Amino acid sequence: MVGAGLAGVRACESLRARGFGGTLTVVSDEPDLPYDRPPLTKQVVAGTLTEADIRLAGAEDFGARWIRGTAAVGLDRVRRRVRLAGGAELPYDGLVLATGAQARPWPGQVPAGVLTVRGLADVRALRAAVGGGAREVVIVGAGFVGVELASSLVGLGLGVRVTLVEPFRRPLRALGGTVPDVVAAAARRAGVGLRLGTAVSGFRTAGERVAGVVPADGSDLPAELVVVAIGMVPATGWLAGAGLALPSGRVHCDARLFARTAAADGTAGAVDPRIVVAGDVAWCEAVRSADGPVPLEHWSNAAAQGELAAGNLLAGPAAADGYEHVPSFWTSAFGLRIKSVGLPGTGGRVVAEEGEPGSEKVVEAHYRDGRLVGAVSVNLGKRLVEYARRLQEERDRPEPAGDGRIPMPVAE
Amino acid sequence: MRITVDYGLCDGLGQCALVAPEVFALDDDEQLVVAPDPAPELAGKVAAAARACPVRAISVEGA
Ligand SMILES: Cc1cc2nc3c(=O)[nH]c(=O)nc-3n(C[C@H](O)[C@H](O)[C@H](O)COP(=O)(O)OP(=O)(O)OC[C@H]3O[C@@H](n4cnc5c(N)ncnc54)[C@H](O)[C@@H]3O)c2cc1C
């Protein structure tokens, strides 16, 4: 098991639950025991959940040998070995790739006081900075990490002033429809300084530390602490040269979660029957829009893929089950409880099917060429069950020939 | 089958309702509602719903 986030932990659980009695070695580059990420930017920053509350597994679990604080740095599929930082090699009969992703770093040097947030260590640093008196915070990027952080920081009641800077015109724009505008209005009401349509060109420093963020328009946003929240990059650098297909940096896997090898012409080739993939690192053929596979960065996907990947690894490709999953996601900020099913970002037409568009109680359905592709709710999550059922029906409906299929060499 | 929800943990995220809508639902305030006495043949779905809970608020006995 390489990576011990949610996908890795669920894969460990699933291996043992299915009676795997062999040696299980878990490699994690984090020194911490596995923990859950969604609460990091919400309850952990807010101080309502502790580190112990979000633990996913203990060192005694799964009868596993844990190697923590050590990164996998290479994979030799022919000799079936994972190389670790420090030079040790681990042989394997089966391998689960669950290395997730890292926060996308700022493109360029950053001064002290500029953080990204993906893990517990980042949130500790953020809390320490605020605990140490930082009151002027600028967050760069209004995706869900930036928006949740802004909400949690202004909610602390410590008088933290938060400015959220985003190059696009809307926060959480991936949700589409009117929901981003609802979020923007709620953020402003909560006292967040929202600078939409504003690109950041760099940082101003005082000595070694950050003192401000410099937008491209030449203005200046004073900052004692800056959080760069501009997305994520899959953690596959260590797989370079392993001969796996890595479209957009993710590990390409078939509908049964087996990793595809890279064919000589660079396209995805046969599967490696000893390697399965799960979670944010995966680019799975079974998760697709009309344009082809879509990567998911959702909790529910990591949990479900971890469980299935382990089962399929034990079963082998011939007896493995396909991944059948309706994507689902939630986020919350400024008192808005936002949920989605399907792939709302891939739709063209958005219809408010319950509640008033632009209000704080609404369900918006997303259609593409007349087909439902996703739905987003604000404070009306009860309606999503119906959309999930419809999406499942859409998925099970045969696609018209030639509709969005990607050419794919036949697996071995 | 006996389903227990720890409402101190439950955050109304509704993942269980997506997996086993026969048994779990959210109400108008996004609070979780559980159907009494689910049919025994739903045991597999209920177990999957419990596993799908992000805050591990659902426990199932006698499934
Ligand atoms: C702050 C935050 C908030 C979120 N909130 C929500 C939410 O509200 N709702 C939702 O649906 N989803 C949310 N998500 C997304 C969800 O948490 C992820 O989809 C999920 O964590 C993915 O799990 P994973 O196991 O695939 O990857 P990860 O959780 O990233 O775990 C991968 C692990 O592998 C380790 N690793 C990486 N490279 C190596 C290597 N070379 N060697 C060894 N170990 C390695 C990493 O350090 C990490 O510990 C959130 C994510 C974040 C970061």
PDB file of all heavy atoms in Angstrom, chain A residues 10 36 55-56 299-300 307 328 330 337 339 361 379-382 385 388, chain B residues 11-15 17-18 21 26-30 51-54 56:
ATOM      1  N   ARG A  10      -9.012   2.558   3.452  1.00  0.00           N
ATOM      2  CA  ARG A  10     -10.146   1.719   3.053  1.00  0.00           C
ATOM      3  C   ARG A  10      -9.679   0.456   2.324  1.00  0.00           C
ATOM      4  O   ARG A  10     -10.279  -0.606   2.448  1.00  0.00           O
ATOM      5  CB  ARG A  10     -11.110   2.510   2.170  1.00  0.00           C
ATOM      6  CG  ARG A  10     -11.923   3.529   2.929  1.00  0.00           C
ATOM      7  CD  ARG A  10     -12.755   2.851   4.001  1.00  0.00           C
ATOM      8  NE  ARG A  10     -13.390   3.790   4.894  1.00  0.00           N
ATOM      9  CZ  ARG A  10     -14.633   4.252   4.749  1.00  0.00           C
ATOM     10  NH1 ARG A  10     -15.367   3.857   3.735  1.00  0.00           N
ATOM     11  NH2 ARG A  10     -15.142   5.087   5.615  1.00  0.00           N
ATOM     12  N   ASP A  36      -8.533  12.065   8.416  1.00  0.00           N
ATOM     13  CA  ASP A  36      -9.526  12.451   7.432  1.00  0.00           C
ATOM     14  C   ASP A  36      -9.311  13.916   7.041  1.00  0.00           C
ATOM     15  O   ASP A  36      -9.102  14.768   7.904  1.00  0.00           O
ATOM     16  CB  ASP A  36     -10.892  12.291   8.093  1.00  0.00           C
ATOM     17  CG  ASP A  36     -11.985  11.996   7.109  1.00  0.00           C
ATOM     18  OD1 ASP A  36     -11.673  11.503   6.008  1.00  0.00           O
ATOM     19  OD2 ASP A  36     -13.154  12.240   7.458  1.00  0.00           O
ATOM     20  N   ARG A  55      -8.816  10.992  13.322  1.00  0.00           N
ATOM     21  CA  ARG A  55      -7.944   9.867  12.991  1.00  0.00           C
ATOM     22  C   ARG A  55      -8.719   8.778  12.256  1.00  0.00           C
ATOM     23  O   ARG A  55      -9.829   8.429  12.633  1.00  0.00           O
ATOM     24  CB  ARG A  55      -7.336   9.317  14.277  1.00  0.00           C
ATOM     25  CG  ARG A  55      -6.384   8.177  14.033  1.00  0.00           C
ATOM     26  CD  ARG A  55      -5.301   8.129  15.086  1.00  0.00           C
ATOM     27  NE  ARG A  55      -4.572   9.379  15.131  1.00  0.00           N
ATOM     28  CZ  ARG A  55      -3.917   9.827  16.217  1.00  0.00           C
ATOM     29  NH1 ARG A  55      -3.934   9.123  17.313  1.00  0.00           N
ATOM     30  NH2 ARG A  55      -3.268  10.960  16.183  1.00  0.00           N
ATOM     31  N   LEU A  56      -8.114   8.220  11.221  1.00  0.00           N
ATOM     32  CA  LEU A  56      -8.765   7.157  10.441  1.00  0.00           C
ATOM     33  C   LEU A  56      -8.304   5.768  10.836  1.00  0.00           C
ATOM     34  O   LEU A  56      -9.006   4.791  10.600  1.00  0.00           O
ATOM     35  CB  LEU A  56      -8.471   7.339   8.944  1.00  0.00           C
ATOM     36  CG  LEU A  56      -9.200   8.434   8.189  1.00  0.00           C
ATOM     37  CD1 LEU A  56      -8.705   8.475   6.751  1.00  0.00           C
ATOM     38  CD2 LEU A  56     -10.703   8.202   8.219  1.00  0.00           C
ATOM     39  N   TRP A 299     -14.207  12.798  -1.398  1.00  0.00           N
ATOM     40  CA  TRP A 299     -14.109  11.826  -0.311  1.00  0.00           C
ATOM     41  C   TRP A 299     -14.794  10.498  -0.689  1.00  0.00           C
ATOM     42  O   TRP A 299     -14.213   9.424  -0.514  1.00  0.00           O
ATOM     43  CB  TRP A 299     -14.762  12.417   0.936  1.00  0.00           C
ATOM     44  CG  TRP A 299     -14.534  11.658   2.193  1.00  0.00           C
ATOM     45  CD1 TRP A 299     -13.578  11.913   3.139  1.00  0.00           C
ATOM     46  CD2 TRP A 299     -15.286  10.518   2.665  1.00  0.00           C
ATOM     47  NE1 TRP A 299     -13.684  10.995   4.166  1.00  0.00           N
ATOM     48  CE2 TRP A 299     -14.722  10.137   3.897  1.00  0.00           C
ATOM     49  CE3 TRP A 299     -16.361   9.797   2.154  1.00  0.00           C
ATOM     50  CZ2 TRP A 299     -15.213   9.054   4.631  1.00  0.00           C
ATOM     51  CZ3 TRP A 299     -16.839   8.702   2.880  1.00  0.00           C
ATOM     52  CH2 TRP A 299     -16.266   8.351   4.111  1.00  0.00           C
ATOM     53  N   SER A 300     -16.032  10.574  -1.185  1.00  0.00           N
ATOM     54  CA  SER A 300     -16.807   9.348  -1.432  1.00  0.00           C
ATOM     55  C   SER A 300     -16.125   8.467  -2.484  1.00  0.00           C
ATOM     56  O   SER A 300     -16.173   7.240  -2.400  1.00  0.00           O
ATOM     57  CB  SER A 300     -18.224   9.699  -1.881  1.00  0.00           C
ATOM     58  OG  SER A 300     -18.191  10.494  -3.052  1.00  0.00           O
ATOM     59  N   GLU A 307     -11.944   0.624  -1.331  1.00  0.00           N
ATOM     60  CA  GLU A 307     -12.584  -0.653  -0.988  1.00  0.00           C
ATOM     61  C   GLU A 307     -12.579  -1.608  -2.184  1.00  0.00           C
ATOM     62  O   GLU A 307     -12.191  -2.768  -2.067  1.00  0.00           O
ATOM     63  CB  GLU A 307     -14.014  -0.344  -0.528  1.00  0.00           C
ATOM     64  CG  GLU A 307     -14.724  -1.517   0.086  1.00  0.00           C
ATOM     65  CD  GLU A 307     -16.099  -1.113   0.643  1.00  0.00           C
ATOM     66  OE1 GLU A 307     -16.232  -0.007   1.204  1.00  0.00           O
ATOM     67  OE2 GLU A 307     -17.029  -1.929   0.502  1.00  0.00           O
ATOM     68  N   SER A 328     -20.277  12.054  -5.677  1.00  0.00           N
ATOM     69  CA  SER A 328     -20.962  12.958  -4.749  1.00  0.00           C
ATOM     70  C   SER A 328     -19.930  13.730  -3.951  1.00  0.00           C
ATOM     71  O   SER A 328     -18.829  13.237  -3.688  1.00  0.00           O
ATOM     72  CB  SER A 328     -21.892  12.190  -3.814  1.00  0.00           C
ATOM     73  OG  SER A 328     -21.151  11.398  -2.920  1.00  0.00           O
ATOM     74  N   TRP A 330     -19.525  17.218  -0.955  1.00  0.00           N
ATOM     75  CA  TRP A 330     -20.174  18.241  -0.122  1.00  0.00           C
ATOM     76  C   TRP A 330     -19.116  19.260   0.289  1.00  0.00           C
ATOM     77  O   TRP A 330     -17.925  18.974   0.285  1.00  0.00           O
ATOM     78  CB  TRP A 330     -20.790  17.605   1.131  1.00  0.00           C
ATOM     79  CG  TRP A 330     -19.758  17.228   2.151  1.00  0.00           C
ATOM     80  CD1 TRP A 330     -19.283  17.999   3.171  1.00  0.00           C
ATOM     81  CD2 TRP A 330     -19.035  15.988   2.230  1.00  0.00           C
ATOM     82  NE1 TRP A 330     -18.312  17.308   3.873  1.00  0.00           N
ATOM     83  CE2 TRP A 330     -18.144  16.081   3.315  1.00  0.00           C
ATOM     84  CE3 TRP A 330     -19.058  14.802   1.470  1.00  0.00           C
ATOM     85  CZ2 TRP A 330     -17.276  15.044   3.670  1.00  0.00           C
ATOM     86  CZ3 TRP A 330     -18.187  13.781   1.829  1.00  0.00           C
ATOM     87  CH2 TRP A 330     -17.314  13.910   2.916  1.00  0.00           C
ATOM     88  N   ARG A 337     -24.823  24.895   3.254  1.00  0.00           N
ATOM     89  CA  ARG A 337     -24.482  23.481   3.140  1.00  0.00           C
ATOM     90  C   ARG A 337     -24.685  23.104   1.673  1.00  0.00           C
ATOM     91  O   ARG A 337     -25.795  23.056   1.185  1.00  0.00           O
ATOM     92  CB  ARG A 337     -25.368  22.656   4.070  1.00  0.00           C
ATOM     93  CG  ARG A 337     -25.178  23.067   5.547  1.00  0.00           C
ATOM     94  CD  ARG A 337     -26.250  22.470   6.430  1.00  0.00           C
ATOM     95  NE  ARG A 337     -26.296  21.039   6.289  1.00  0.00           N
ATOM     96  CZ  ARG A 337     -25.504  20.182   6.940  1.00  0.00           C
ATOM     97  NH1 ARG A 337     -24.627  20.636   7.808  1.00  0.00           N
ATOM     98  NH2 ARG A 337     -25.590  18.897   6.739  1.00  0.00           N
ATOM     99  N   LYS A 339     -24.066  20.598  -1.595  1.00  0.00           N
ATOM    100  CA  LYS A 339     -23.810  19.199  -1.955  1.00  0.00           C
ATOM    101  C   LYS A 339     -23.973  19.041  -3.450  1.00  0.00           C
ATOM    102  O   LYS A 339     -24.740  19.784  -4.078  1.00  0.00           O
ATOM    103  CB  LYS A 339     -24.801  18.273  -1.238  1.00  0.00           C
ATOM    104  CG  LYS A 339     -24.619  18.304   0.270  1.00  0.00           C
ATOM    105  CD  LYS A 339     -25.618  17.456   0.984  1.00  0.00           C
ATOM    106  CE  LYS A 339     -25.273  17.474   2.470  1.00  0.00           C
ATOM    107  NZ  LYS A 339     -26.433  17.571   3.319  1.00  0.00           N
ATOM    108  N   LYS A 361     -31.657  28.378  -0.583  1.00  0.00           N
ATOM    109  CA  LYS A 361     -32.302  27.059  -0.546  1.00  0.00           C
ATOM    110  C   LYS A 361     -32.699  26.749  -1.978  1.00  0.00           C
ATOM    111  O   LYS A 361     -33.707  27.253  -2.474  1.00  0.00           O
ATOM    112  CB  LYS A 361     -33.525  27.085   0.377  1.00  0.00           C
ATOM    113  CG  LYS A 361     -33.556  25.915   1.350  1.00  0.00           C
ATOM    114  CD  LYS A 361     -34.620  26.060   2.411  1.00  0.00           C
ATOM    115  CE  LYS A 361     -34.902  24.729   3.072  1.00  0.00           C
ATOM    116  NZ  LYS A 361     -34.223  24.397   4.280  1.00  0.00           N
ATOM    117  N   ASN A 379     -28.493  23.848   1.015  1.00  0.00           N
ATOM    118  CA  ASN A 379     -29.418  23.654   2.140  1.00  0.00           C
ATOM    119  C   ASN A 379     -30.671  22.861   1.750  1.00  0.00           C
ATOM    120  O   ASN A 379     -31.716  23.013   2.368  1.00  0.00           O
ATOM    121  CB  ASN A 379     -29.819  25.010   2.750  1.00  0.00           C
ATOM    122  CG  ASN A 379     -28.616  25.727   3.351  1.00  0.00           C
ATOM    123  OD1 ASN A 379     -27.659  25.094   3.793  1.00  0.00           O
ATOM    124  ND2 ASN A 379     -28.642  27.046   3.347  1.00  0.00           N
ATOM    125  N   LEU A 380     -30.581  22.056   0.740  1.00  0.00           N
ATOM    126  CA  LEU A 380     -31.708  21.214   0.309  1.00  0.00           C
ATOM    127  C   LEU A 380     -31.207  19.829  -0.100  1.00  0.00           C
ATOM    128  O   LEU A 380     -31.665  19.258  -1.091  1.00  0.00           O
ATOM    129  CB  LEU A 380     -32.428  21.855  -0.888  1.00  0.00           C
ATOM    130  CG  LEU A 380     -33.721  22.630  -0.617  1.00  0.00           C
ATOM    131  CD1 LEU A 380     -34.248  23.253  -1.902  1.00  0.00           C
ATOM    132  CD2 LEU A 380     -34.781  21.753   0.032  1.00  0.00           C
ATOM    133  N   GLY A 381     -30.271  19.315   0.679  1.00  0.00           N
ATOM    134  CA  GLY A 381     -29.621  18.060   0.318  1.00  0.00           C
ATOM    135  C   GLY A 381     -30.559  16.895   0.177  1.00  0.00           C
ATOM    136  O   GLY A 381     -30.249  15.905  -0.487  1.00  0.00           O
ATOM    137  N   LYS A 382     -31.729  17.009   0.797  1.00  0.00           N
ATOM    138  CA  LYS A 382     -32.650  15.865   0.753  1.00  0.00           C
ATOM    139  C   LYS A 382     -33.073  15.530  -0.670  1.00  0.00           C
ATOM    140  O   LYS A 382     -33.429  14.410  -0.967  1.00  0.00           O
ATOM    141  CB  LYS A 382     -33.868  16.123   1.631  1.00  0.00           C
ATOM    142  CG  LYS A 382     -34.828  17.174   1.130  1.00  0.00           C
ATOM    143  CD  LYS A 382     -36.062  17.159   2.030  1.00  0.00           C
ATOM    144  CE  LYS A 382     -37.233  17.846   1.378  1.00  0.00           C
ATOM    145  NZ  LYS A 382     -38.465  17.651   2.153  1.00  0.00           N
ATOM    146  N   VAL A 385     -30.985  12.669  -3.507  1.00  0.00           N
ATOM    147  CA  VAL A 385     -31.181  11.228  -3.663  1.00  0.00           C
ATOM    148  C   VAL A 385     -31.857  10.924  -4.999  1.00  0.00           C
ATOM    149  O   VAL A 385     -31.454  10.029  -5.741  1.00  0.00           O
ATOM    150  CB  VAL A 385     -32.035  10.687  -2.489  1.00  0.00           C
ATOM    151  CG1 VAL A 385     -32.494   9.276  -2.761  1.00  0.00           C
ATOM    152  CG2 VAL A 385     -31.236  10.750  -1.205  1.00  0.00           C
ATOM    153  N   ALA A 388     -29.440  11.394  -7.796  1.00  0.00           N
ATOM    154  CA  ALA A 388     -28.465  10.297  -7.841  1.00  0.00           C
ATOM    155  C   ALA A 388     -29.080   9.091  -8.537  1.00  0.00           C
ATOM    156  O   ALA A 388     -28.431   8.421  -9.346  1.00  0.00           O
ATOM    157  CB  ALA A 388     -28.013   9.935  -6.424  1.00  0.00           C
TER     158      ALA A 388
ATOM    159  N   ASP B  11     -23.570  14.767  10.741  1.00  0.00           N
ATOM    160  CA  ASP B  11     -23.498  16.153  10.263  1.00  0.00           C
ATOM    161  C   ASP B  11     -24.468  16.369   9.096  1.00  0.00           C
ATOM    162  O   ASP B  11     -24.365  17.349   8.365  1.00  0.00           O
ATOM    163  CB  ASP B  11     -22.046  16.444   9.844  1.00  0.00           C
ATOM    164  CG  ASP B  11     -21.767  17.936   9.709  1.00  0.00           C
ATOM    165  OD1 ASP B  11     -22.579  18.753  10.206  1.00  0.00           O
ATOM    166  OD2 ASP B  11     -20.749  18.279   9.092  1.00  0.00           O
ATOM    167  N   GLY B  12     -25.358  15.400   8.894  1.00  0.00           N
ATOM    168  CA  GLY B  12     -26.339  15.555   7.822  1.00  0.00           C
ATOM    169  C   GLY B  12     -25.718  15.625   6.437  1.00  0.00           C
ATOM    170  O   GLY B  12     -26.234  16.295   5.557  1.00  0.00           O
ATOM    171  N   LEU B  13     -24.607  14.920   6.240  1.00  0.00           N
ATOM    172  CA  LEU B  13     -23.937  14.996   4.939  1.00  0.00           C
ATOM    173  C   LEU B  13     -24.689  14.193   3.882  1.00  0.00           C
ATOM    174  O   LEU B  13     -24.518  14.411   2.688  1.00  0.00           O
ATOM    175  CB  LEU B  13     -22.489  14.526   5.054  1.00  0.00           C
ATOM    176  CG  LEU B  13     -21.632  15.400   5.990  1.00  0.00           C
ATOM    177  CD1 LEU B  13     -20.240  14.803   6.179  1.00  0.00           C
ATOM    178  CD2 LEU B  13     -21.528  16.823   5.477  1.00  0.00           C
ATOM    179  N   GLY B  14     -25.510  13.242   4.333  1.00  0.00           N
ATOM    180  CA  GLY B  14     -26.436  12.578   3.418  1.00  0.00           C
ATOM    181  C   GLY B  14     -25.820  11.522   2.520  1.00  0.00           C
ATOM    182  O   GLY B  14     -26.470  11.040   1.596  1.00  0.00           O
ATOM    183  N   GLN B  15     -24.590  11.137   2.777  1.00  0.00           N
ATOM    184  CA  GLN B  15     -23.976  10.108   1.935  1.00  0.00           C
ATOM    185  C   GLN B  15     -24.703   8.775   2.096  1.00  0.00           C
ATOM    186  O   GLN B  15     -24.850   8.021   1.135  1.00  0.00           O
ATOM    187  CB  GLN B  15     -22.488   9.951   2.298  1.00  0.00           C
ATOM    188  CG  GLN B  15     -21.659  11.204   2.058  1.00  0.00           C
ATOM    189  CD  GLN B  15     -21.473  11.508   0.584  1.00  0.00           C
ATOM    190  OE1 GLN B  15     -21.082  10.659  -0.189  1.00  0.00           O
ATOM    191  NE2 GLN B  15     -21.781  12.732   0.203  1.00  0.00           N
ATOM    192  N   ALA B  17     -27.840   8.341   2.588  1.00  0.00           N
ATOM    193  CA  ALA B  17     -29.093   8.364   1.825  1.00  0.00           C
ATOM    194  C   ALA B  17     -28.842   8.096   0.346  1.00  0.00           C
ATOM    195  O   ALA B  17     -29.704   7.553  -0.342  1.00  0.00           O
ATOM    196  CB  ALA B  17     -29.784   9.715   2.012  1.00  0.00           C
ATOM    197  N   LEU B  18     -27.670   8.464  -0.142  1.00  0.00           N
ATOM    198  CA  LEU B  18     -27.355   8.175  -1.542  1.00  0.00           C
ATOM    199  C   LEU B  18     -27.143   6.680  -1.749  1.00  0.00           C
ATOM    200  O   LEU B  18     -27.426   6.150  -2.815  1.00  0.00           O
ATOM    201  CB  LEU B  18     -26.103   8.943  -1.989  1.00  0.00           C
ATOM    202  CG  LEU B  18     -26.191  10.480  -1.948  1.00  0.00           C
ATOM    203  CD1 LEU B  18     -24.862  11.096  -2.346  1.00  0.00           C
ATOM    204  CD2 LEU B  18     -27.305  10.985  -2.857  1.00  0.00           C
ATOM    205  N   PRO B  21     -31.232   4.724   0.027  1.00  0.00           N
ATOM    206  CA  PRO B  21     -32.347   5.678   0.177  1.00  0.00           C
ATOM    207  C   PRO B  21     -33.607   5.039   0.753  1.00  0.00           C
ATOM    208  O   PRO B  21     -34.486   5.741   1.239  1.00  0.00           O
ATOM    209  CB  PRO B  21     -32.583   6.178  -1.255  1.00  0.00           C
ATOM    210  CG  PRO B  21     -31.952   5.174  -2.153  1.00  0.00           C
ATOM    211  CD  PRO B  21     -30.833   4.539  -1.382  1.00  0.00           C
ATOM    212  N   LEU B  26     -32.641  12.675   4.364  1.00  0.00           N
ATOM    213  CA  LEU B  26     -32.495  13.948   5.063  1.00  0.00           C
ATOM    214  C   LEU B  26     -33.851  14.635   5.094  1.00  0.00           C
ATOM    215  O   LEU B  26     -34.636  14.503   4.156  1.00  0.00           O
ATOM    216  CB  LEU B  26     -31.478  14.845   4.343  1.00  0.00           C
ATOM    217  CG  LEU B  26     -30.030  14.358   4.318  1.00  0.00           C
ATOM    218  CD1 LEU B  26     -29.144  15.361   3.568  1.00  0.00           C
ATOM    219  CD2 LEU B  26     -29.485  14.129   5.729  1.00  0.00           C
ATOM    220  N   ASP B  27     -34.113  15.386   6.156  1.00  0.00           N
ATOM    221  CA  ASP B  27     -35.355  16.152   6.188  1.00  0.00           C
ATOM    222  C   ASP B  27     -35.093  17.580   5.681  1.00  0.00           C
ATOM    223  O   ASP B  27     -34.000  17.883   5.189  1.00  0.00           O
ATOM    224  CB  ASP B  27     -35.987  16.122   7.593  1.00  0.00           C
ATOM    225  CG  ASP B  27     -35.185  16.920   8.617  1.00  0.00           C
ATOM    226  OD1 ASP B  27     -34.264  17.683   8.227  1.00  0.00           O
ATOM    227  OD2 ASP B  27     -35.494  16.788   9.815  1.00  0.00           O
ATOM    228  N   ASP B  28     -36.096  18.444   5.805  1.00  0.00           N
ATOM    229  CA  ASP B  28     -35.975  19.799   5.256  1.00  0.00           C
ATOM    230  C   ASP B  28     -34.804  20.579   5.848  1.00  0.00           C
ATOM    231  O   ASP B  28     -34.294  21.508   5.224  1.00  0.00           O
ATOM    232  CB  ASP B  28     -37.273  20.582   5.531  1.00  0.00           C
ATOM    233  CG  ASP B  28     -38.400  20.102   4.642  1.00  0.00           C
ATOM    234  OD1 ASP B  28     -38.100  19.566   3.551  1.00  0.00           O
ATOM    235  OD2 ASP B  28     -39.571  20.238   5.046  1.00  0.00           O
ATOM    236  N   ASP B  29     -34.412  20.225   7.066  1.00  0.00           N
ATOM    237  CA  ASP B  29     -33.297  20.926   7.709  1.00  0.00           C
ATOM    238  C   ASP B  29     -31.994  20.139   7.598  1.00  0.00           C
ATOM    239  O   ASP B  29     -31.053  20.382   8.352  1.00  0.00           O
ATOM    240  CB  ASP B  29     -33.626  21.177   9.185  1.00  0.00           C
ATOM    241  CG  ASP B  29     -34.866  22.055   9.321  1.00  0.00           C
ATOM    242  OD1 ASP B  29     -34.969  23.037   8.566  1.00  0.00           O
ATOM    243  OD2 ASP B  29     -35.729  21.732  10.163  1.00  0.00           O
ATOM    244  N   GLU B  30     -31.958  19.188   6.681  1.00  0.00           N
ATOM    245  CA  GLU B  30     -30.788  18.338   6.466  1.00  0.00           C
ATOM    246  C   GLU B  30     -30.420  17.537   7.720  1.00  0.00           C
ATOM    247  O   GLU B  30     -29.264  17.256   7.986  1.00  0.00           O
ATOM    248  CB  GLU B  30     -29.584  19.151   5.942  1.00  0.00           C
ATOM    249  CG  GLU B  30     -29.884  19.824   4.595  1.00  0.00           C
ATOM    250  CD  GLU B  30     -28.668  19.989   3.703  1.00  0.00           C
ATOM    251  OE1 GLU B  30     -27.540  19.861   4.201  1.00  0.00           O
ATOM    252  OE2 GLU B  30     -28.866  20.228   2.488  1.00  0.00           O
ATOM    253  N   ARG B  51     -20.649   2.373   5.910  1.00  0.00           N
ATOM    254  CA  ARG B  51     -19.254   2.581   5.474  1.00  0.00           C
ATOM    255  C   ARG B  51     -19.094   3.889   4.705  1.00  0.00           C
ATOM    256  O   ARG B  51     -18.020   4.474   4.687  1.00  0.00           O
ATOM    257  CB  ARG B  51     -18.792   1.416   4.591  1.00  0.00           C
ATOM    258  CG  ARG B  51     -18.548   0.125   5.352  1.00  0.00           C
ATOM    259  CD  ARG B  51     -17.686  -0.848   4.530  1.00  0.00           C
ATOM    260  NE  ARG B  51     -18.263  -1.193   3.246  1.00  0.00           N
ATOM    261  CZ  ARG B  51     -19.217  -2.101   3.035  1.00  0.00           C
ATOM    262  NH1 ARG B  51     -19.699  -2.775   4.060  1.00  0.00           N
ATOM    263  NH2 ARG B  51     -19.675  -2.347   1.829  1.00  0.00           N
ATOM    264  N   ALA B  52     -20.173   4.332   4.074  1.00  0.00           N
ATOM    265  CA  ALA B  52     -20.096   5.568   3.288  1.00  0.00           C
ATOM    266  C   ALA B  52     -20.220   6.811   4.166  1.00  0.00           C
ATOM    267  O   ALA B  52     -20.095   7.926   3.664  1.00  0.00           O
ATOM    268  CB  ALA B  52     -21.197   5.574   2.225  1.00  0.00           C
ATOM    269  N   CYS B  53     -20.474   6.634   5.450  1.00  0.00           N
ATOM    270  CA  CYS B  53     -20.640   7.797   6.324  1.00  0.00           C
ATOM    271  C   CYS B  53     -19.290   8.430   6.627  1.00  0.00           C
ATOM    272  O   CYS B  53     -18.432   7.790   7.227  1.00  0.00           O
ATOM    273  CB  CYS B  53     -21.320   7.394   7.633  1.00  0.00           C
ATOM    274  SG  CYS B  53     -21.378   8.776   8.802  1.00  0.00           S
ATOM    275  N   PRO B  54     -19.096   9.687   6.234  1.00  0.00           N
ATOM    276  CA  PRO B  54     -17.798  10.336   6.432  1.00  0.00           C
ATOM    277  C   PRO B  54     -17.438  10.548   7.903  1.00  0.00           C
ATOM    278  O   PRO B  54     -16.261  10.735   8.219  1.00  0.00           O
ATOM    279  CB  PRO B  54     -17.958  11.680   5.716  1.00  0.00           C
ATOM    280  CG  PRO B  54     -19.076  11.472   4.752  1.00  0.00           C
ATOM    281  CD  PRO B  54     -20.009  10.520   5.442  1.00  0.00           C
ATOM    282  N   ARG B  56     -18.594   8.410  10.426  1.00  0.00           N
ATOM    283  CA  ARG B  56     -18.795   7.133  11.102  1.00  0.00           C
ATOM    284  C   ARG B  56     -19.825   7.226  12.225  1.00  0.00           C
ATOM    285  O   ARG B  56     -19.581   6.826  13.361  1.00  0.00           O
ATOM    286  CB  ARG B  56     -17.453   6.585  11.609  1.00  0.00           C
ATOM    287  CG  ARG B  56     -16.626   6.032  10.460  1.00  0.00           C
ATOM    288  CD  ARG B  56     -15.227   5.650  10.874  1.00  0.00           C
ATOM    289  NE  ARG B  56     -14.431   6.831  11.180  1.00  0.00           N
ATOM    290  CZ  ARG B  56     -13.153   6.814  11.506  1.00  0.00           C
ATOM    291  NH1 ARG B  56     -12.526   5.653  11.617  1.00  0.00           N
ATOM    292  NH2 ARG B  56     -12.500   7.917  11.750  1.00  0.00           N
TER     293      ARG B  56
END
